[in-house]
């Protein structure tokens, strides 16, 4: 799978939130999206998920333009925010409905659903109303719903700052490694520099809606970047 993002732009109330974002992604890539508050990270992710429509620019999946009426292409992606909407107030029902929306056969993934709930320590909460769960538990349910949907592009808003406990974070990373190994693509936002540096293939740095850096993490080990990503941020701050 190849994703091409060309000149993506968005304004709100006359303010340019995203300005001419252009990038390309290949199968198996893990991208960390960084930037200050208000840099345009959430807007970019919502544009990629077709929750927002761009003022300019396009997104292409293997040469085909993504649009709201292209349900076949939209089924290839899933956006997971840190405040998710649920299709039911019961965990298993939500996961099954998510799978159905993406045309997955419940008979084929029934055993997987049980395994996912066990993997995320949620089996004992299968019949607990989602509204009664903790923030981290809610995120786990939403994440399992995404697994059941089985998209090829995962767009994750702050997945490692959503109140998930350490075993849950480890489970999320295992799932990320699996989808990447199968040729999927993951874009996740984070404010944790050390995480982005150690757990990504590429780093996108947004500032005032503009893509300032698109770096492969291996570039951070170059001699001119002795302080890694922190050094890059410092150069950017000083305008070097």
């Amino acid at each position: 799978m190849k994703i091409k993002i060309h000149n993506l732009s968005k304004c709100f109330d006359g303010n340019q939130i995203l300005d001419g974002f252009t990038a390309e992604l290949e199968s198996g890539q893990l991208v960390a999206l960084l930037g200050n508050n208000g840099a345009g990270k959430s807007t970019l992710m919502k544009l990629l998920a077709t929750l927002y429509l761009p003022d300019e620019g396009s997104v292409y999946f293997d040469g085909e333009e993504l649009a709201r009426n292209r349900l076949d292409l939209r089924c290839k992606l899933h956006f997971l925010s840190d405040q998710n909407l649920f299709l039911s107030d019961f965990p298993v029902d939500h996961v099954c409905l998510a799978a159905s929306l993406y045309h997955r056969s419940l008979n084929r993934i029934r055993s997987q659903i049980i395994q996912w709930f066990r993997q995320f320590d949620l089996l004992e909460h299968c019949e607990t109303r989602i509204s009664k769960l903790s923030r981290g538990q809610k995120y786990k349910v939403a994440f399992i719903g995404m697994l059941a949907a089985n998209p090829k592009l995962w767009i994750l808003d702050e997945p490692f700052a959503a109140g998930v406990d350490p075993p849950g974070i480890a489970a999320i990373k295992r799932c990320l490694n699996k989808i990447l190994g199968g040729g999927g693509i993951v874009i996740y936002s984070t404010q944790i520099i050390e995480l982005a540096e150690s757990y990504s293939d590429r780093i996108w740095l947004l500032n005032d809606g503009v893509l300032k850096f698109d770096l492969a993490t291996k570039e951070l080990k170059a001699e001119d970047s002795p302080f890694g990503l922190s050094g890059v941020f410092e150069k950017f701050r000083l305008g070097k």
Side-chain angles (χ1 to χ4, degrees):
M1 181 171 66
K2 184 174 183 178
I3 297 174
K4 181 178 180 180
I5 307 167
H6 178 68
N7 197 37
L8 214 56
S9 301
K10 185 67 178 179
C11 287
F12 289 108
D13 298 324
N15 296 316
Q16 191 77 43
I17 306 301
L18 196 70
D19 189 6
F21 188 98
T22 296
E24 293 188 13
L25 291 167
E26 302 282 351
S27 295
Q29 287 191 322
L30 176 63
V31 181
L33 176 61
L34 289 87
N36 296 334
N37 294 333
K41 301 186 301 296
S42 294
T43 297
L44 172 61
M45 289 187 288
K46 290 177 180 179
L47 285 167
L48 294 176
T50 71
L51 297 178
Y52 290 162
L53 295 178
D55 296 326
E56 293 182 47
S58 302
V59 180
Y60 299 89
F61 279 70
D62 293 326
E64 297 187 76
E65 186 172 0
L66 177 65
R68 281 186 176 174
N69 64 348
R70 288 297 306 268
L71 297 181
D72 57 328
L73 297 181
R74 290 177 64 191
C75 280
K76 294 183 178 182
L77 65 87
H78 193 101
F79 172 62
L80 203 60
S81 75
D82 60 350
Q83 298 290 332
N84 290 286
L85 297 175
F86 293 95
L87 303 171
S88 168
D89 198 27
F90 292 96
V92 175
D93 288 348
H94 166 74
V95 171
C96 290
L97 288 169
S100 297
L101 282 175
Y102 279 70
H103 310 295
R104 302 288 315 279
S105 170
L106 293 178
N107 289 331
R108 296 183 62 181
I109 64 172
R110 194 180 307 277
S111 62
Q112 283 183 288
I113 291 174
I114 296 172
Q115 182 180 351
W116 289 325
F117 273 90
R118 181 180 294 112
Q119 183 178 0
F120 282 91
D121 296 324
L122 286 175
L123 268 181
E124 62 184 78
H125 298 290
C126 280
E127 297 182 0
T128 303
R129 288 184 176 273
I130 294 175
S131 55
K132 301 295 184 182
L133 298 176
S134 70
R135 180 189 175 207
Q137 290 170 330
K138 289 176 181 176
Y139 190 86
K140 290 178 183 179
V141 172
F143 195 91
I144 293 171
M146 181 180 66
L147 294 176
N150 195 36
K152 297 296 289 181
L153 169 63
W154 294 6
I155 307 167
L156 311 178
D157 189 7
E158 297 280 1
F160 302 109
V164 179
D165 54 21
I169 290 175
I172 287 174
K173 285 187 173 181
R174 287 195 297 270
C175 293
L176 290 174
N177 292 337
K178 184 174 182 179
I179 187 69
L180 293 168
I185 296 173
V186 178
I187 302 170
Y188 74 96
S189 63
T190 183
Q191 298 288 14
I192 306 171
I193 292 177
E194 294 78 12
L195 175 66
E197 190 171 4
S198 63
Y199 193 66
S200 62
D201 300 308
R202 290 171 64 180
I203 294 171
W204 289 345
L205 173 62
L206 278 174
N207 185 65
D208 291 334
V210 177
L211 179 62
K212 291 296 184 180
F213 292 108
D214 181 357
L215 295 170
T217 50
K218 62 183 180 182
E219 294 179 47
L220 299 176
K221 300 177 182 178
E223 292 183 6
D224 60 345
S225 301
F227 299 103
L229 186 54
S230 296
V232 171
F233 270 111
E234 186 65 12
K235 286 184 178 181
F236 171 70
R237 187 181 68 82
L238 296 174
K240 294 182 178 180

